[in-house]
Amino acid sequence: MAAPSLRSDPEFLAFWQERHVGFLSTTRPDGTHHLVPVGVTYDSEVGIARVITSSTSKKARNIIDSGPDAVVAVSQADGARWATLEGIAV
């Protein structure tokens, strides 16, 4: 049996529609993690999370420096509820 898709889980989708402070984790050139608070939206129709930033920010530079395989995670939390999305950043 296939695992249910988080993209279709009503509680997961509702949580991403609520306003929360999120956290984005990128990887620095030395391999350590860089974690910063961000505003994030999730478009479940296409499976894309969006974070607004400038190209000169440390998080953007980490992604650019990582090249086309920049693995990131973005989470948001509200008390004991949280959700994390992982994927390739562009």
Side-chain angles (χ1 to χ4, degrees), residues 9-77:
D9 178 347
E11 289 182 54
F12 178 85
L13 297 176
F15 187 71
W16 281 100
Q17 293 300 313
E18 298 170 12
R19 183 182 167 131
H20 302 283
V21 172
F23 292 91
L24 175 69
S25 178
T26 61
T27 305
R28 295 182 184 104
D30 68 1
T32 60
H33 297 283
H34 180 247
L35 183 68
V36 294
V38 295
V40 58
T41 61
Y42 176 56
D43 182 339
S44 63
E45 294 295 319
V46 292
I48 293 176
R50 292 181 177 92
V51 173
I52 297 172
T53 188
S54 71
S55 63
T56 59
S57 71
K58 181 61 179 164
K59 59 187 164 286
R61 293 299 323 152
N62 287 341
I63 291 167
I64 292 165
D65 292 345
S66 292
D69 297 323
V71 176
V72 298
V74 64
S75 295
Q76 58 180 15

